[in-house]
Amino acid sequence: MSAAASFDTDRKIIERYTDQPAWLPARVRAGIEEDFAGDPVQLYALADLDASLNLAETWVALGPNRIALARDEDDAHPVVRSFPRTSIREVRLEPGLSCSTLCFLGDPDEPALARVRFTHRQRRAMENIQFVVEQQLDGRGVEPRDADDVYADAVAAPVRDAQALVASNDMAVIWRLLSYLQPYRGQVAFGMVSAAMLTLLSLVPPVLSGWIIDNVVNPVQQGSLPIDEGLRRAWWGVGAIAGAYALRQACAWARLRWMAVLGENVARDLRTELYEHLQGLSLSFFSRKKTGSLITRVSSDTDRLWEFLALGVVDVSLSVIQLVGLSAVLITIDWKMGLVMTLPVPVLCWVTFQQGERMNRIFLRAWRKWSRVTDILSDTIPGMRIVKAFNQEEREKQRFDARNRDVTDEFNALHRVWTTFWPILMLFVRGMVVLVWVLAVPRVLGDSPAAVTLSSGDFVTFLLLMTMFIAPIDIIGQMARIMNRATSSAHRIFEVLDTQPQVVDQGDPVRLEPVQGRVEFRDVTFGYDGVRQVVRGISFVVSPGEVIGLVGPSGGGKTTVTNLIARFYDVTGGQVLIDGVDVRDLDTGHTRRQLGMVLQDPYLFHGSVVENIRYGKSDASLEEVIEAATAANAHDFLCKLPNGYDTIVGERGHTLSGGERQRISIARAILHDPRILILDEATSSVDTETEYKIQEALDRLVADRTVFAIAHRLSTLRRADRIFVVDEGRLAEHGTHQELLAIEGGTYRRLCELQQELTGSRDAARPKLTPIEGATT
Amino acid sequence: MTKASSQAVAEGEKGAEPGGLRLWRGHDGRLWGRATASDDARSVRVCRLFPWSQPSEYVSLRDAEDEELALVHRPEDLDATSREALEVSLAEAGFVMQIESIDAVEEEIEIRTFSVQTSQGPRSFQTERDEWPQPLAGGGLLIRDVAGDLYAVPDPDTLDARSRKLLWVFID
Ligand SMILES: Nc1ncnc2c1ncn2[C@@H]1O[C@H](COP(=O)(O)OP(=O)(O)O)[C@@H](O)[C@H]1O
Ligand SMILES: [Mg+2]
């Protein structure tokens, strides 16, 4: 399903953005497989630099038994050279600025089996090969996955992480955006009709003015019409003009009002859909995307679409109609003068468009310089203490001043360009008006009455209509920019909406009521990306109520193991079972409600302490909240705060110290009363005294639940029933503290000894320093 | 390791002055070295300390365990063989593509695509839109793409008019 679609996107990205094939060319593959005596290619990568560091195309392919280097010569058979995997003694990746080298080394006194050079673009794919070969050297196999998909994923990843979709046809995006107007069809129609009426009504006053001159003013002055009749007609005409203006403004009002509301509704629909979709996405999505960029998608991008939907859609479509209509009217009044006015219009639109493009470039340059100004700000304001400590204020002032001047020059250049452009354009338009006069004067006056070929009324109509040309030209010139802004906002929104959650519940999920807390791993393997496995074949059974300490070097995979229990990710091999049921068959939301987490950096939402404690159980009574806070050792310090439990904690709980925030998050977990509890280095970032308080709170929290506690300081694991040592994605040792200490040369024993040494020397160095609680912020 | 290295010692060792740093290219194609004549030979990788401001000086030689074998202040002070061996490695480690002309720069939603001719061949690459080329000391420009590859424009003034026009947005 979504996986296949994502590899398709990967291939599209490679084809569109890189200069290399989206997969191993068939000819080369055939050549390699012939060399492999029929064995399949399991994994491949492109070495895009040759020995003299020129761009080239050499494929490195891994088969079950051999590794091949292959190059496609244009006419002949592909050139394939291969060597057995068993002849490899060592594989080394040497990174450089832009050229990395992968060395396959054989016997020490032999030349290297192969050295391939490549740019960073190929690096992930090459690392996949390196990983598999290293595993083989360690005597382990790696289950092969689809070689094409792995390659496409690895090569497309850098571009995909920056922009997850291939910028598709802009028209397609606009159509998709317009489909959001569907529920508001009636309103759209109403808006459009009002706008069309508006345009039509605008034509009425000029036409009436001409009529009054030809049928009232001139006849009366020539005496062919009695003055009474003339006045009567004139007042009718003026009345009609007034009526047309009034109706026109009513239409303008209706149009703005309806479309503005409509645009807002669509923006709201998009925001809601986007936010709901975000809530459903897997954690892997959020680790790829910058928080700021997701926030702007929900906020400013939807806002920009309002602009487009409320004003852009109608303005643009009507401007086109208006121009065409005006031209038609002018040409019917008088074709010669009509052509003088209409022929230059396409040119004017094109010139305005070109001007827009030019402004874009200047603006981009100004924007780049602007970002250098803001860089200084975001650099020095948080670092003000250092600036002052090193007495560098003067230098910072000068640095800022230089960049500030620089950006001002750019903006002034920008202003010079547009301030010159518009007067010149208007001069040109006025020139057309003058040309119309030049053509008209002889014809309106004529040598004799018979030579008058243009009535003065028609001429007045003409003059008034001409003034209506300018606004639509301006809008059409800006159309490209309006569309551009709208499509890029829409693209950014659709990119999120089109991302499928990687963790999805199957049709009829099992609900465990309640969860007992038995957790089992059956030969679980898992990798975040590529073929590199972070968890490699872990198996264990944890009974309900057991407290498990997870220890091991950082990067070993402890957090990943807990992520798999919470099903933030799905395993790539094996099974994770809770109470004997595969987590993929469980109702994920329901299970997570019975699962609690206390993380190293506790996250508090903006709001009061009581709201934060109640986060997982919004109907908890105040007694329960106080009870939980007391159990978490938070009650006492909360009482000291002037606003007590109603204290608002900032975005990230900035007004509280790390230890205090941690205790609030423990209170939250206690109130949540989970069956399975995960503590990920919950006490790592606080001082010893606070740690003691937290530890006390944790001891109360762990009672009667299955607990997975990750800790750096082994002393905090004294309550653990069993200890798992996770190292390089494996369960290296497991057993009770005593059992593990008894293992001669065991990892746990070594870790214990190391820490005792460290704490011993640290305590010796600072005998009298007792940290003050709350002093760490 | 020790066994491997003693065997990997190649012709470069002949006539070694005792005491000094020696470097040579091993049979396996890698750079090998020993800090003093009595040390074990180790395969090393080069690490420029100032790749942009001082590319030809201050090179750290690091072994497989990432320990520093030696810090070479000026490669020209080494003996001929060592210098030659080092220079090959330096060229590889310091390699970045050199832009000769620019065919197109396209802005997209989140990325900007450059299509260029480099001295190594034609290439298209992408940067993030708010990621700007870095000015180099001496007037050059360095562009880093989303994958981490680097592209240098050593002297923008010598490019053809069209490339210069496309680059105008990015240089001061
Ligand atoms: N979101 C992620 N994407 C890719 N790799 C990850 C991610 N999280 C962790 N890793 C990698 O997985 C390995 C194990 O990480 P982790 O489980 O956090 O280790 P530990 O908690 O034991 O320190 C590390 O090599 C880490 O770089
Ligand atoms: Mg961790």
Side-chain angles (χ1 to χ4, degrees):
Chain A
M1 27 143 265
S2 61
S6 83
F7 293 125
D8 272 354
T9 314
D10 287 342
R11 288 194 188 104
K12 277 196 209 122
I13 286 177
I14 298 178
E15 272 162 7
R16 165 82 174 75
Y17 296 114
T18 70
D19 336 71
Q20 69 191 67
W23 41 55
L24 182 63
R27 257 166 59 88
V28 180
R29 183 188 289 260
I32 294 171
E33 290 183 344
E34 190 184 318
D35 182 272
F36 284 172
D39 281 339
V41 171
Q42 289 177 332
L43 205 60
Y44 60 86
L46 177 68
D48 56 357
L49 289 171
D50 61 16
S52 46
L53 298 177
N54 282 317
L55 289 166
E57 197 175 295
T58 302
W59 296 89
V60 184
L62 195 77
N65 303 310
R66 300 180 74 82
I67 290 184
L69 303 186
R71 209 157 15 91
D72 198 6
E73 305 283 90
D74 278 336
D75 33 282
H77 215 58
V79 182
V80 182
R81 181 170 76 77
S82 76
F83 50 91
R85 280 170 68 169
T86 46
S87 63
I88 304 172
R89 295 277 168 278
E90 196 188 343
V91 53
R92 286 268 296 263
L93 185 91
E94 292 170 5
L97 281 177
S98 255
C99 164
S100 303
T101 312
L102 189 65
C103 264
F104 297 96
L105 302 170
D107 282 330
D109 43 358
E110 291 293 319
L113 295 165
R115 275 170 78 84
V116 291
R117 294 172 187 79
F118 48 91
T119 62
H120 286 295
R121 187 178 284 170
Q122 320 301 336
R123 185 147 168 198
R124 291 191 195 204
M126 284 291 179
E127 279 172 349
N128 285 340
I129 292 189
Q130 181 197 13
F131 175 81
V132 173
V133 173
E134 272 171 356
Q135 290 300 297
Q136 171 204 330
L137 291 175
D138 287 353
R140 291 192 285 257
V142 175
E143 292 171 43
R145 287 169 50 194
D146 186 293
D148 290 330
D149 289 349
V150 173
Y151 165 81
D153 174 63
V155 177
V159 177
R160 192 189 53 213
D161 288 352
Q163 177 180 305
L165 41 74
V166 180
S168 58
N169 182 328
D170 280 353
M171 263 347 268
V173 174
I174 294 285
W175 277 122
R176 180 163 170 197
L177 190 60
L178 292 182
S179 73
Y180 281 84
L181 292 173
Q182 192 81 15
Y184 307 102
R185 274 184 307 259
Q187 289 177 42
V188 176
F190 187 77
M192 283 288 189
V193 168
S194 316
M197 294 271 293
L198 184 110
T199 312
L200 277 179
L201 285 168
S202 313
L203 299 177
V204 172
V207 172
L208 276 179
S209 309
W211 180 84
I212 291 176
I213 287 176
D214 275 352
N215 295 298
V216 183
V217 179
N218 282 342
V220 167
Q221 284 176 350
Q222 287 157 11
S224 59
L225 189 75
I227 184 85
D228 291 349
E229 175 62 12
L231 272 178
R232 201 182 59 81
R233 285 193 195 174
W235 289 131
W236 269 111
V238 172
I241 289 177
Y245 275 134
L247 214 57
R248 181 186 180 279
Q249 287 324 109
C251 287
W253 168 81
R255 185 214 117 167
L256 282 177
R257 171 74 171 275
W258 254 258
M259 292 315 276
V261 169
L262 174 78
E264 208 57 78
N265 287 345
V266 173
R268 176 203 58 207
D269 293 352
L270 272 169
R271 269 196 296 273
T272 309
E273 187 179 344
L274 202 56
Y275 190 68
E276 279 173 7
H277 192 80
L278 277 176
Q279 294 287 351
L281 284 179
S282 317
L283 277 187
S284 52
F285 176 80
F286 295 95
S287 61
R288 271 206 317 271
K289 287 280 168 202
K290 291 185 203 121
T291 315
S293 118
L294 289 178
I295 292 171
T296 52
R297 282 166 214 231
V298 181
S299 53
S300 26
D301 280 330
T302 53
D303 203 45
R304 272 195 191 178
L305 288 184
W306 173 84
E307 200 184 304
F308 173 70
L309 293 168
L311 308 172
V313 174
V314 177
D315 275 353
V316 168
S317 45
L318 274 173
S319 295
V320 176
I321 298 175
Q322 205 173 338
L323 272 189
V324 173
L326 270 177
S327 306
V329 172
L330 288 189
I331 291 173
T332 37
I333 294 176
D334 185 286
W335 68 270
K336 269 193 214 144
M337 284 171 8
L339 285 183
V340 168
M341 266 329 266
T342 50
L343 281 184
V345 167
V347 179
L348 289 182
C349 289
W350 184 78
V351 170
T352 324
F353 167 75
Q354 283 300 318
Q355 165 72 2
E357 295 286 285
R358 184 152 163 241
M359 292 282 287
N360 264 348
R361 277 171 54 75
I362 305 178
F363 186 74
L364 201 60
R365 188 176 152 101
W367 180 35
R368 174 173 66 90
K369 301 208 168 178
W370 180 245
S371 74
R372 296 208 310 199
V373 173
T374 54
D375 278 353
I376 293 202
L377 293 178
S378 52
D379 233 27
T380 48
I381 291 180
M384 203 45 99
R385 278 175 69 142
I386 310 289
V387 174
K388 291 201 177 295
F390 285 87
N391 191 28
Q392 291 297 312
E393 293 97 327
E394 208 41 53
R395 195 180 66 165
E396 291 300 342
K397 269 192 251 174
Q398 279 166 11
R399 206 156 66 108
F400 185 80
D401 194 44
R403 293 192 185 184
N404 196 14
R405 275 168 204 277
D406 202 24
V407 75
T408 310
D409 288 347
E410 292 305 325
F411 280 125
N412 283 339
L414 196 70
H415 297 319
R416 263 199 303 283
V417 171
W418 71 262
T419 50
T420 325
F421 177 77
W422 277 106
I424 290 182
L425 186 82
M426 292 319 287
L427 188 65
F428 188 78
V429 175
R430 304 290 181 236
M432 284 157 54
V433 175
V434 171
L435 194 61
V436 167
W437 272 97
V438 169
L439 283 176
V441 168
R443 295 170 54 205
V444 174
L445 295 180
D447 299 335
S448 58
V452 172
T453 47
L454 182 67
S455 75
S456 45
D458 281 353
F459 183 51
V460 166
T461 305
F462 204 97
L463 286 179
L464 289 174
L465 287 177
M466 275 194 313
T467 57
M468 293 169 59
F469 255 85
I470 292 157
I473 290 179
D474 182 20
I475 290 177
I476 289 178
Q478 289 184 46
M479 188 170 82
R481 193 182 60 85
I482 296 173
M483 299 286 261
N484 237 325
R485 278 166 66 98
T487 45
S488 55
S489 285
H491 258 301
R492 271 196 287 267
I493 289 172
F494 295 151
E495 174 183 359
V496 176
L497 290 181
D498 290 347
T499 307
Q500 297 296 322
Q502 268 155 3
V503 173
V504 276
D505 281 352
Q506 47 109 310
D508 187 21
V510 180
R511 294 164 80 97
L512 297 170
E513 327 221 27
V515 170
Q516 299 297 322
R518 186 178 131 85
V519 178
E520 182 177 356
F521 269 46
R522 278 193 201 150
D523 201 22
V524 170
T525 55
F526 174 74
Y528 286 99
D529 48 26
V531 297
R532 198 173 80 89
Q533 289 165 353
V534 175
V535 171
R536 313 176 188 184
I538 290 191
S539 298
F540 61 72
V541 181
V542 173
S543 331
E546 231 186 328
V547 176
I548 301 295
L550 289 168
V551 299
S554 93
K558 303 179 294 294
T559 302
T560 308
V561 166
T562 60
N563 281 342
L564 293 176
I565 298 172
R567 206 190 168 202
F568 287 147
Y569 300 89
D570 272 337
V571 296
T572 40
Q575 276 185 307
V576 175
L577 304 108
I578 293 181
D579 293 353
V581 185
D582 192 315
V583 289
R584 283 169 293 194
D585 296 332
L586 288 174
D587 180 335
T588 310
H590 186 257
T591 316
R592 283 201 197 135
R593 242 166 281 143
Q594 307 184 53
L595 193 125
M597 283 200 164
V598 179
L599 306 179
Q600 176 175 2
D601 187 17
Y603 193 88
L604 299 185
F605 293 98
H606 182 84
S608 66
V609 170
V610 59
E611 281 164 358
N612 267 289
I613 296 180
R614 269 181 179 163
Y615 190 72
K617 188 182 175 195
S618 45
D619 56 350
S621 71
L622 292 180
E623 275 82 30
E624 286 176 295
V625 170
I626 296 169
E627 212 174 292
T630 312
N633 271 350
H635 180 71
D636 288 339
F637 84 77
L638 285 174
C639 289
K640 277 188 218 144
L641 298 175
N643 294 305
Y645 281 68
D646 285 331
T647 305
I648 302 291
V649 284
E651 234 176 58
R652 273 196 145 233
H654 273 308
T655 49
L656 300 175
S657 77
E660 288 166 342
R661 277 185 288 147
Q662 189 59 282
R663 280 177 275 165
I664 292 179
S665 81
I666 292 172
R668 180 164 66 189
I670 290 177
L671 192 63
H672 184 49
D673 192 21
R675 301 304 311 143
I676 300 174
L677 178 65
I678 290 164
L679 306 173
D680 194 344
E681 306 194 2
T683 56
S684 291
S685 59
V686 294
D687 55 77
T688 345
E689 176 123 356
T690 316
E691 183 184 355
Y692 175 73
K693 289 231 161 94
I694 293 176
Q695 198 56 46
E696 228 180 33
L698 286 179
D699 286 350
R700 292 189 199 116
L701 178 58
V702 302
D704 301 327
R705 322 171 197 277
T706 310
V707 178
F708 291 86
I710 301 177
H712 267 312
R713 289 180 212 158
L714 303 180
S715 55
T716 58
L717 292 179
R718 59 201 150 81
R719 289 275 314 247
D721 297 313
R722 276 193 296 163
I723 293 194
F724 291 177
V725 180
V726 180
D727 189 4
E728 290 191 14
R730 307 171 170 282
L731 194 54
E733 292 164 22
H734 60 102
T736 62
H737 176 71
Q738 295 306 332
E739 283 168 7
L740 293 185
L741 273 188
I743 301 176
E744 206 60 57
T747 316
Y748 185 73
R749 183 170 162 154
R750 209 185 59 237
L751 282 173
C752 274
E753 284 166 2
L754 212 66
Q755 293 211 342
Q756 251 150 24
E757 243 170 68
L758 267 181
T759 44
S761 59
R762 202 170 49 201
D763 292 349
R766 307 183 307 173
K768 293 218 179 66
L769 268 181
T770 327
I772 298 157
E773 190 209 332
T776 52
T777 313
Chain B
M1 183 85 220
T2 322
K3 176 170 167 279
S5 45
S6 61
Q7 281 166 334
V9 171
E11 65 281 358
E13 242 211 331
K14 279 176 258 159
E17 279 170 46
L21 168 72
R22 313 278 309 168
L23 299 167
W24 65 94
R25 197 140 292 275
H27 279 311
D28 56 6
R30 291 187 291 170
L31 184 67
W32 288 79
R34 58 174 52 153
T36 61
S38 55
D39 280 355
D40 281 335
R42 287 185 274 178
S43 96
V44 289
R45 70 185 175 84
V46 298
C47 171
R48 274 193 178 88
L49 299 192
F50 308 100
W52 301 110
S53 53
Q54 214 54 264
S56 56
E57 290 184 2
Y58 295 105
V59 180
S60 171
L61 302 171
R62 315 196 71 89
D63 70 6
E65 272 75 52
D66 212 31
E67 254 178 64
E68 186 168 271
L69 178 89
L71 180 64
V72 181
H73 176 177
R74 277 206 304 265
E76 55 264 40
D77 293 346
L78 297 173
D79 64 283
T81 330
S82 301
R83 196 173 60 229
E84 238 164 68
L86 182 61
E87 241 129 50
V88 173
S89 293
L90 278 178
E92 217 161 88
F95 167 79
V96 297
M97 280 165 269
Q98 307 280 322
I99 294 181
E100 289 179 334
S101 69
I102 299 175
D103 299 334
V105 180
E106 257 177 90
E107 306 278 326
E108 262 187 36
I109 306 145
E110 306 272 16
I111 53 178
R112 172 178 302 125
T113 297
F114 289 84
S115 307
V116 300
Q117 301 293 329
T118 68
S119 353
Q120 288 71 36
R123 181 114 163 157
S124 342
F125 62 90
Q126 290 74 32
T127 67
E128 288 193 22
R129 281 194 62 175
D130 48 8
E131 169 96 25
W132 305 103
Q134 270 174 37
L136 287 177
L141 209 61
L142 188 69
I143 312 178
R144 180 194 181 84
D145 77 2
V146 286
D149 284 317
L150 296 172
Y151 303 82
V153 187
D155 186 359
D157 292 338
T158 58
L159 295 181
D160 59 288
R162 185 184 147 69
S163 307
R164 274 209 310 276
K165 187 168 171 235
L166 288 170
L167 217 49
W168 172 81
V169 170
F170 307 105
I171 43 182
D172 293 333

